[in-house]
Amino acid sequence: MNLLRVDGRRVALTDRGEGPPVVFVHASGMGAQQWGATLPRLADRFRCLAPDLLGVGASDPWPDPDRYALAVDLAVVNAVIDRAAAPVHLVGHSFGGLLALLAAAARPDRVRSVAVYEPVAFGVLRGRDPEGLASLDAAITPAFLDAQSGGDEAWLTAFIDFWNGAGAWARLPEGRRAALRATGRKSFLEVRALSAEAPPLEALVSPCPTLLMAGSRSPRAALGVCRVLATGLPNARLLPFDGAGHMGPVEEPRRFVAAVAEHLGLHA
């Protein structure tokens, strides 16, 4: 485990393997440990760099319990990009996928390619996928955005069940629920910030070759985002994961690694 300093805060970084650098950006509340089954399968061909975003894992706590700023997490991603000695490939899941797309759009000269699984780029739905937007609005109710209860057990139950189906929170092992409780407040802040002002499609456009992955069992809004991005980004392709859900990278790591490895090989 390595430590980076980003704006005076400590960021834990997994750095293993040799070869072209690949930066992995985890989903909300997951930490770099989410790539535990992914990195060993790629580290023989690539240098794999996976940070714990602030407020997660071994990194410093999120600095403000009442406010989220995308710029803070993007600064961490950019610091890891700078750590690499060459242009990087970016791989992200869910919230990490959104951060990867934003980083690529801002620094295309430092990014060779992007591979993302269901990025939460919900801002692209407006004016392009009204049905997907309606399904999202039905889930993000005023109660779900309440600052007093945001991140608590009831909130986490609704959050996890939205992404993975009714009863998903209850089915999680207690150790995993405990880890999500520890990061629940930051996850809530992310959701609230994106519901108020999600980046539009224009903020995500880059010339980087982009692989978009989406599970067929995932929420309607997540599938809509990937379809919009597949047509809205200039160099993107959509790869469906039939039978998979939102947690495809964790639940089906061999399938996920195979898709990512093929993509990296094409653009190395």
Short mmCIF file of all heavy atoms in Angstrom, two decimals, residues 2 13-24 39 42-50 80 82-86 88-89:
data_model
loop_
_atom_site.label_atom_id
_atom_site.label_comp_id
_atom_site.label_asym_id
_atom_site.label_seq_id
_atom_site.Cartn_x
_atom_site.Cartn_y
_atom_site.Cartn_z
N ASN A 2 0.61 2.16 -0.91
CA ASN A 2 1.33 3.43 -0.99
C ASN A 2 0.42 4.55 -0.51
O ASN A 2 -0.80 4.40 -0.47
CB ASN A 2 1.75 3.71 -2.44
CG ASN A 2 2.70 2.67 -2.98
OD1 ASN A 2 3.89 2.78 -2.78
ND2 ASN A 2 2.17 1.67 -3.67
N LEU A 13 -3.10 4.11 -1.97
CA LEU A 13 -3.00 3.72 -3.38
C LEU A 13 -2.42 2.32 -3.49
O LEU A 13 -1.33 2.04 -2.97
CB LEU A 13 -2.12 4.70 -4.15
CG LEU A 13 -1.85 4.37 -5.62
CD1 LEU A 13 -3.13 4.48 -6.43
CD2 LEU A 13 -0.76 5.28 -6.18
N THR A 14 -3.13 1.44 -4.16
CA THR A 14 -2.60 0.14 -4.54
C THR A 14 -1.87 0.31 -5.86
O THR A 14 -2.44 0.85 -6.82
CB THR A 14 -3.72 -0.90 -4.68
OG1 THR A 14 -4.37 -1.06 -3.43
CG2 THR A 14 -3.18 -2.24 -5.14
N ASP A 15 -0.63 -0.14 -5.93
CA ASP A 15 0.21 0.03 -7.11
C ASP A 15 0.95 -1.28 -7.33
O ASP A 15 1.89 -1.60 -6.60
CB ASP A 15 1.17 1.20 -6.91
CG ASP A 15 1.99 1.53 -8.15
OD1 ASP A 15 2.01 0.72 -9.10
OD2 ASP A 15 2.65 2.60 -8.16
N ARG A 16 0.52 -2.05 -8.32
CA ARG A 16 1.13 -3.35 -8.53
C ARG A 16 1.21 -3.68 -10.02
O ARG A 16 0.41 -3.20 -10.81
CB ARG A 16 0.35 -4.46 -7.81
CG ARG A 16 -1.09 -4.61 -8.26
CD ARG A 16 -1.85 -5.62 -7.43
NE ARG A 16 -1.33 -6.97 -7.57
CZ ARG A 16 -1.86 -8.04 -7.01
NH1 ARG A 16 -2.95 -7.92 -6.26
NH2 ARG A 16 -1.33 -9.22 -7.19
N GLY A 17 2.19 -4.52 -10.37
CA GLY A 17 2.35 -4.95 -11.75
C GLY A 17 3.26 -4.03 -12.54
O GLY A 17 3.68 -2.97 -12.08
N GLU A 18 3.55 -4.45 -13.76
CA GLU A 18 4.40 -3.68 -14.66
C GLU A 18 3.77 -3.67 -16.05
O GLU A 18 3.08 -4.60 -16.43
CB GLU A 18 5.80 -4.27 -14.73
CG GLU A 18 6.57 -4.21 -13.41
CD GLU A 18 7.97 -4.75 -13.55
OE1 GLU A 18 8.33 -5.22 -14.66
OE2 GLU A 18 8.71 -4.72 -12.56
N GLY A 19 4.05 -2.60 -16.78
CA GLY A 19 3.51 -2.46 -18.13
C GLY A 19 2.78 -1.15 -18.28
O GLY A 19 2.93 -0.24 -17.45
N PRO A 20 1.97 -1.00 -19.32
CA PRO A 20 1.20 0.23 -19.50
C PRO A 20 0.33 0.50 -18.27
O PRO A 20 -0.31 -0.41 -17.75
CB PRO A 20 0.34 -0.06 -20.74
CG PRO A 20 1.08 -1.14 -21.47
CD PRO A 20 1.74 -1.97 -20.42
N PRO A 21 0.30 1.74 -17.77
CA PRO A 21 -0.45 2.03 -16.55
C PRO A 21 -1.95 2.07 -16.76
O PRO A 21 -2.45 2.63 -17.75
CB PRO A 21 0.08 3.40 -16.11
CG PRO A 21 0.58 4.02 -17.37
CD PRO A 21 1.06 2.92 -18.25
N VAL A 22 -2.68 1.46 -15.83
CA VAL A 22 -4.14 1.45 -15.84
C VAL A 22 -4.62 1.93 -14.47
O VAL A 22 -4.22 1.38 -13.44
CB VAL A 22 -4.70 0.04 -16.12
CG1 VAL A 22 -6.23 0.09 -16.22
CG2 VAL A 22 -4.10 -0.55 -17.39
N VAL A 23 -5.45 2.96 -14.43
CA VAL A 23 -5.98 3.51 -13.19
C VAL A 23 -7.41 3.01 -13.01
O VAL A 23 -8.25 3.18 -13.89
CB VAL A 23 -5.95 5.05 -13.20
CG1 VAL A 23 -6.60 5.61 -11.93
CG2 VAL A 23 -4.52 5.56 -13.35
N PHE A 24 -7.68 2.39 -11.85
CA PHE A 24 -8.99 1.83 -11.54
C PHE A 24 -9.69 2.73 -10.52
O PHE A 24 -9.12 3.00 -9.45
CB PHE A 24 -8.84 0.42 -10.95
CG PHE A 24 -8.30 -0.59 -11.93
CD1 PHE A 24 -6.94 -0.69 -12.17
CD2 PHE A 24 -9.16 -1.44 -12.62
CE1 PHE A 24 -6.43 -1.61 -13.09
CE2 PHE A 24 -8.67 -2.36 -13.53
CZ PHE A 24 -7.31 -2.46 -13.76
N LEU A 39 -7.33 -7.09 -10.26
CA LEU A 39 -5.92 -6.74 -10.41
C LEU A 39 -5.01 -7.95 -10.58
O LEU A 39 -4.10 -7.91 -11.43
CB LEU A 39 -5.46 -5.88 -9.22
CG LEU A 39 -6.23 -4.58 -8.96
CD1 LEU A 39 -5.46 -3.69 -8.00
CD2 LEU A 39 -6.53 -3.83 -10.25
N LEU A 42 -4.62 -8.95 -14.15
CA LEU A 42 -4.09 -7.99 -15.11
C LEU A 42 -2.67 -7.53 -14.79
O LEU A 42 -1.99 -6.98 -15.66
CB LEU A 42 -5.00 -6.76 -15.18
CG LEU A 42 -6.40 -6.99 -15.78
CD1 LEU A 42 -7.26 -5.74 -15.62
CD2 LEU A 42 -6.30 -7.37 -17.25
N ALA A 43 -2.23 -7.74 -13.56
CA ALA A 43 -0.95 -7.19 -13.12
C ALA A 43 0.26 -7.83 -13.80
O ALA A 43 1.37 -7.30 -13.70
CB ALA A 43 -0.81 -7.31 -11.60
N ASP A 44 0.07 -8.95 -14.49
CA ASP A 44 1.19 -9.54 -15.22
C ASP A 44 1.44 -8.83 -16.55
O ASP A 44 2.48 -9.01 -17.18
CB ASP A 44 0.95 -11.03 -15.46
CG ASP A 44 -0.31 -11.29 -16.30
OD1 ASP A 44 -1.23 -10.44 -16.25
OD2 ASP A 44 -0.37 -12.33 -16.97
N ARG A 45 0.46 -7.99 -16.99
CA ARG A 45 0.59 -7.29 -18.26
C ARG A 45 0.53 -5.78 -18.14
O ARG A 45 0.95 -5.06 -19.04
CB ARG A 45 -0.52 -7.75 -19.21
CG ARG A 45 -0.42 -9.17 -19.70
CD ARG A 45 -1.74 -9.64 -20.30
NE ARG A 45 -2.73 -9.94 -19.26
CZ ARG A 45 -4.00 -10.16 -19.50
NH1 ARG A 45 -4.45 -10.06 -20.74
NH2 ARG A 45 -4.82 -10.45 -18.51
N PHE A 46 -0.01 -5.30 -17.01
CA PHE A 46 -0.23 -3.87 -16.84
C PHE A 46 0.18 -3.43 -15.45
O PHE A 46 0.14 -4.22 -14.50
CB PHE A 46 -1.71 -3.52 -17.07
CG PHE A 46 -2.23 -3.90 -18.42
CD1 PHE A 46 -2.89 -5.10 -18.62
CD2 PHE A 46 -2.05 -3.05 -19.50
CE1 PHE A 46 -3.37 -5.45 -19.87
CE2 PHE A 46 -2.53 -3.39 -20.76
CZ PHE A 46 -3.18 -4.60 -20.94
N ARG A 47 0.56 -2.17 -15.34
CA ARG A 47 0.75 -1.55 -14.02
C ARG A 47 -0.61 -1.06 -13.55
O ARG A 47 -1.21 -0.18 -14.18
CB ARG A 47 1.74 -0.40 -14.09
CG ARG A 47 1.98 0.26 -12.74
CD ARG A 47 2.83 1.50 -12.88
NE ARG A 47 3.04 2.17 -11.60
CZ ARG A 47 3.54 3.39 -11.45
NH1 ARG A 47 3.91 4.09 -12.53
NH2 ARG A 47 3.67 3.93 -10.25
N CYS A 48 -1.11 -1.63 -12.48
CA CYS A 48 -2.46 -1.36 -11.99
C CYS A 48 -2.39 -0.42 -10.80
O CYS A 48 -1.77 -0.74 -9.78
CB CYS A 48 -3.16 -2.66 -11.60
SG CYS A 48 -3.31 -3.84 -12.96
N LEU A 49 -3.03 0.75 -10.91
CA LEU A 49 -3.06 1.75 -9.85
C LEU A 49 -4.51 1.96 -9.42
O LEU A 49 -5.35 2.33 -10.24
CB LEU A 49 -2.46 3.06 -10.31
CG LEU A 49 -1.01 3.00 -10.80
CD1 LEU A 49 -0.98 3.19 -12.31
CD2 LEU A 49 -0.15 4.03 -10.12
N ALA A 50 -4.79 1.70 -8.14
CA ALA A 50 -6.17 1.77 -7.65
C ALA A 50 -6.20 2.54 -6.33
O ALA A 50 -5.78 2.02 -5.30
CB ALA A 50 -6.74 0.37 -7.46
N VAL A 80 -3.35 10.38 -9.29
CA VAL A 80 -2.91 9.04 -9.68
C VAL A 80 -2.47 9.02 -11.13
O VAL A 80 -1.47 8.36 -11.49
CB VAL A 80 -4.03 8.02 -9.42
CG1 VAL A 80 -3.57 6.61 -9.82
CG2 VAL A 80 -4.45 8.03 -7.95
N ASP A 82 -1.08 11.48 -12.65
CA ASP A 82 0.24 12.10 -12.63
C ASP A 82 1.30 11.15 -12.08
O ASP A 82 2.48 11.26 -12.44
CB ASP A 82 0.21 13.38 -11.79
CG ASP A 82 -0.60 14.48 -12.46
OD1 ASP A 82 -0.78 14.42 -13.69
OD2 ASP A 82 -1.08 15.39 -11.74
N ARG A 83 0.91 10.25 -11.19
CA ARG A 83 1.84 9.29 -10.61
C ARG A 83 2.41 8.36 -11.69
O ARG A 83 3.55 7.92 -11.59
CB ARG A 83 1.11 8.49 -9.54
CG ARG A 83 1.88 7.33 -8.96
CD ARG A 83 2.82 7.76 -7.86
NE ARG A 83 3.32 6.63 -7.12
CZ ARG A 83 3.34 6.53 -5.80
NH1 ARG A 83 2.84 7.52 -5.06
NH2 ARG A 83 3.83 5.48 -5.20
N ALA A 84 1.62 8.05 -12.69
CA ALA A 84 2.07 7.18 -13.78
C ALA A 84 3.07 7.92 -14.65
O ALA A 84 2.99 9.13 -14.84
CB ALA A 84 0.89 6.70 -14.60
N ALA A 85 4.00 7.18 -15.21
CA ALA A 85 5.05 7.80 -16.03
C ALA A 85 4.66 7.93 -17.49
O ALA A 85 5.46 8.39 -18.30
CB ALA A 85 6.34 6.98 -15.91
N ALA A 86 3.45 7.49 -17.84
CA ALA A 86 3.01 7.51 -19.23
C ALA A 86 1.51 7.73 -19.25
O ALA A 86 0.84 7.62 -18.22
CB ALA A 86 3.38 6.19 -19.90
N VAL A 88 -2.31 7.00 -19.38
CA VAL A 88 -2.95 5.88 -18.69
C VAL A 88 -4.21 5.43 -19.40
O VAL A 88 -4.79 6.15 -20.22
CB VAL A 88 -3.31 6.26 -17.23
CG1 VAL A 88 -2.10 6.80 -16.49
CG2 VAL A 88 -4.45 7.27 -17.20
N HIS A 89 -4.63 4.22 -19.10
CA HIS A 89 -5.98 3.76 -19.37
C HIS A 89 -6.79 3.97 -18.09
O HIS A 89 -6.26 3.74 -16.98
CB HIS A 89 -6.00 2.28 -19.75
CG HIS A 89 -5.13 1.94 -20.93
ND1 HIS A 89 -5.59 2.05 -22.23
CD2 HIS A 89 -3.84 1.52 -21.00
CE1 HIS A 89 -4.62 1.68 -23.05
NE2 HIS A 89 -3.55 1.36 -22.34
#
